[in-house]
Amino acid sequence: MPAFTYPLAWIAAVTLPALAGIYFLRHRYRRKEVSSLLFWQMHRESREGGTKTEKPRWPLVFFIELLILALLVLAATGPRWQTPQTRRPLIVVLDDSQSMLAGPEGQRPRELAIESLGKIARKRGFLSFRLIASGETPRLLGDEARHPKEMEAQFAQWTCLSPGANLQSAIGLARSISHGEADILVLTDQAPEDPPGKGRVRWAALGLPRINFAFVNAARTAYGGEDRLLLEIANPSASAGESRLQITTNGQTLHEETVRVEAGESYRITVPVPPAIPVLHATLSEDALPGDNTVALVPPIRRTIRVANNLPDGPLKKLVGGTLASTGMLSTQEGEPEFLVHDSENIPTGKGTWSLRLLPASEKPARFTGPFVTDTSHPATKGLSLTGAIWGGDPAAQVKVDDLPVITAGNIPLLTHFNGMDGRNHLTLQYIPEHSTLHLTPQWPALFWNLLRWRAQAQPGLKESNHRLGMDIPYRAAGSEIILRRPDGSAQKLQAPGKDIRLPIDSPGVYQVTSGFAFEETTETFAVNFLAGQESDLSKATAGEWGSWDTETDVRIEYANFLPYLVLAALAAMAWHLFCISRQKGRV
């Protein structure tokens, strides 16, 4: 389509009907009686005037004059046409979040976006298209497309399963790969925070506000000898509503109820479940967005540690042994200890043995009441508070040069940490129960629970069994190769040369991951759920367009000017007009 540099010049188009009026009214005449017609050269000249009208005759020169006026009016508007040589490529940013799947079939924003893009592509011509899917991290869907079939083939990778869309990052990627020389089209269901003006970005929203219930939190945690299921259901809509909650396993219903939630509120429920149930499924009634109506939860990971208590017999060994047992993380399996409590100056030789060394009691003990300086970033001090505690120790205690302080009383080290070259961690603790009160508070078992938890997280395998879609899922491999089985049954081999990797998860469901050697493989099951309160809020979905691709400067520089050709055509029409007049000797 052409662009008109001076659109106000279309006002001159009023001359076209004015010309037609002149030719229409020229046949009006007035009756007058005369004595003779000898004074008239031709009888048809009598039709030049009068009070009555007859069917007008449109001579050729009328159409020539009409063409001349039309060409001059069009030339005055400054038309410019974008030729294939000057047409810019188009980069399309596609919202890859789940809200693009909201609504009934045929009215979903994703489907409307594909339809809209097809119209734009046919209008512009298929010269150069690039598609970017904007999830939490933008990604290119393929190479440059120059044909409708090439572009349609890339739509299969636009899954709309992400828990969010970082559209600004995607726009930045589009500008980077085009070096600022391409038009950018954003297709989403949300209005822009800062609407783009005239330039290179055009923003099109294709959503509608809808009523939607959603799971926004789901957890399955260990609680003693059983599991606890926690669900939070939100209603981000503008009106109250009801939904049917159903919790099932292997086709059997464990819990069912009708949930009514007020507008903008949420409903929480806690259900005890046996730990032997492999997978729990919770579902809500079907509504505008199916992706947030179901969650799957597998049993939590209950990791245990082989612990050896090599302290000499006495009150301290009994105190430490009872504290370790209270954590519920002691393993009954035999084998090399994974965590050793001792009082020796020598570091344990076990390949995977971490250690906690307790210094012997001092002959001149002191009681420290604080202030205690704690390294809050250390795993051993997570959630630890020493306010009001009394800690008995040795003011003259010396630490090794390589030991890092974790807890100190002023400049007196109470707990230190040494990280060996082999990756094992060793801690040194000085504590005299007879001069302390820390072991009488919950902070004492919390300290040992942190130490065992830290050691458990270093074991091969997963750290958690239930995850949110979009979060990193760390995994420590038992070997150099990992097999990831997806919910659809497909398997993917991953390399883990450094043992620790992040599993590539892009869709919700129940997964399995296997690593290790043939004689000692470890397989774990984990679940990934779509839990995104902001994305489930469909009340902010909207429709509209913002921004435009062409500015006046762009049109002048990048569009071909057709003014000279229109002027030449008008001059040619004028010459033709003069030729017709000369042949008819001034008579029309």
Side-chain angles (χ1 to χ4, degrees), residues 459-497:
Q459 293 176 334
L462 295 162
K463 294 183 179 181
E464 302 289 344
S465 58
N466 294 294
H467 303 267
R468 288 175 178 261
L469 182 63
M471 302 293 291
D472 284 340
I473 301 180
Y475 181 77
R476 172 162 289 191
S480 60
E481 187 177 84
I482 296 171
I483 299 178
L484 177 65
R485 292 179 176 83
R486 300 182 176 275
D488 59 3
S490 62
Q492 179 182 4
K493 287 187 177 181
L494 305 171
Q495 299 299 319

Side-chain angles (χ1 to χ4, degrees), residues 284-577:
L284 295 172
S285 302
E286 185 177 350
D287 54 21
L289 186 60
D292 56 15
N293 290 339
T294 178
V295 294
L297 297 164
V298 300
I301 296 176
R302 288 177 165 87
R303 295 207 176 273
T304 57
I305 305 296
R306 295 190 301 273
V307 180
N309 186 354
N310 289 353
L311 292 175
D313 294 337
L316 185 58
K317 180 175 183 177
K318 184 178 180 180
L319 173 63
V320 172
T323 305
L324 291 170
S326 68
T327 62
M329 299 181 65
L330 298 188
S331 174
T332 58
Q333 296 180 354
E334 296 183 359
E336 181 182 78
E338 298 173 285
F339 193 82
L340 176 64
V341 182
H342 66 104
D343 63 351
S344 173
E345 295 183 359
N346 300 322
I347 294 178
T349 57
K351 183 179 179 180
T353 303
W354 295 17
S355 68
L356 173 65
R357 179 195 176 200
L358 273 74
L359 296 179
S362 171
E363 296 180 356
K364 297 181 179 179
R367 298 178 179 179
F368 304 108
T369 58
F372 299 101
V373 180
T374 302
D375 181 3
T376 56
S377 63
H378 196 277
T381 62
K382 184 177 180 180
L384 208 63
S385 176
L386 302 178
T387 304
I390 299 176
W391 193 311
D394 184 2
Q398 299 293 326
V399 298
K400 297 178 181 180
V401 177
D402 295 331
D403 285 6
L404 298 176
V406 179
I407 300 176
T408 62
N411 62 346
I412 307 299
L414 303 178
L415 178 65
T416 59
H417 171 215
F418 169 70
N419 186 9
M421 296 291 293
D422 54 3
R424 296 187 297 155
N425 294 284
H426 306 283
L427 297 103
T428 301
L429 173 68
Q430 62 159 324
Y431 188 76
I432 304 175
E434 296 82 1
H435 297 273
S436 307
T437 62
L438 180 64
H439 61 281
L440 303 177
T441 69
Q443 308 306 317
W444 177 258
L447 172 62
F448 281 82
W449 190 90
N450 284 342
L451 293 175
L452 296 187
R453 175 72 172 176
W454 181 25
R455 178 63 185 93
Q457 290 181 340
Q459 293 176 334
L462 295 162
K463 294 183 179 181
E464 302 289 344
S465 58
N466 294 294
H467 303 267
R468 288 175 178 261
L469 182 63
M471 302 293 291
D472 284 340
I473 301 180
Y475 181 77
R476 172 162 289 191
S480 60
E481 187 177 84
I482 296 171
I483 299 178
L484 177 65
R485 292 179 176 83
R486 300 182 176 275
D488 59 3
S490 62
Q492 179 182 4
K493 287 187 177 181
L494 305 171
Q495 299 299 319
K499 302 296 183 183
D500 291 324
I501 68 169
R502 296 292 185 271
L503 297 178
I505 304 299
D506 55 8
S507 61
V510 179
Y511 294 77
Q512 282 188 336
V513 59
T514 302
S515 67
F517 304 98
F519 58 88
E520 194 179 351
E521 280 190 347
T522 301
T523 299
E524 292 181 289
T525 302
F526 66 96
V528 179
N529 294 298
F530 176 73
L531 301 169
Q534 291 185 348
E535 192 63 21
S536 297
D537 185 1
L538 303 181
S539 63
K540 299 179 182 178
T542 186
E545 291 189 4
W546 297 264
S548 61
W549 289 319
D550 300 321
T551 64
E552 185 176 344
T553 302
D554 295 334
V555 171
R556 291 179 183 276
I557 295 176
E558 300 178 4
Y559 283 57
N561 190 356
F562 275 74
L563 176 62
Y565 304 100
L566 295 173
V567 172
L568 289 175
L571 292 175
M574 290 179 184
W576 186 18
H577 183 270

Side-chain angles (χ1 to χ4, degrees), residues 120-164:
I120 293 174
R122 288 189 293 271
K123 181 178 178 180
R124 292 173 63 98
F126 279 88
L127 293 179
S128 175
F129 283 77
R130 296 294 295 272
L131 303 182
I132 298 177
S134 176
E136 294 189 315
T137 302
R139 56 188 175 89
L140 287 169
L141 295 185
D143 297 330
E144 187 177 41
R146 295 181 177 273
H147 190 272
K149 296 296 183 182
E150 295 179 4
M151 186 174 68
E152 292 172 6
Q154 297 182 12
F155 287 146
Q157 303 178 51
W158 182 26
T159 56
C160 296
L161 294 177
S162 176

Side-chain angles (χ1 to χ4, degrees), residues 92-130:
V92 186
V93 174
L94 304 170
D95 189 332
D96 200 32
S97 62
Q98 286 233 13
S99 62
M100 294 292 288
L101 300 178
E105 187 174 355
Q107 301 180 22
R108 295 167 183 164
R110 181 182 183 275
E111 298 167 345
L112 298 177
I114 293 176
E115 182 181 351
S116 175
L117 181 56
K119 294 178 180 178
I120 293 174
R122 288 189 293 271
K123 181 178 178 180
R124 292 173 63 98
F126 279 88
L127 293 179
S128 175
F129 283 77
R130 296 294 295 272

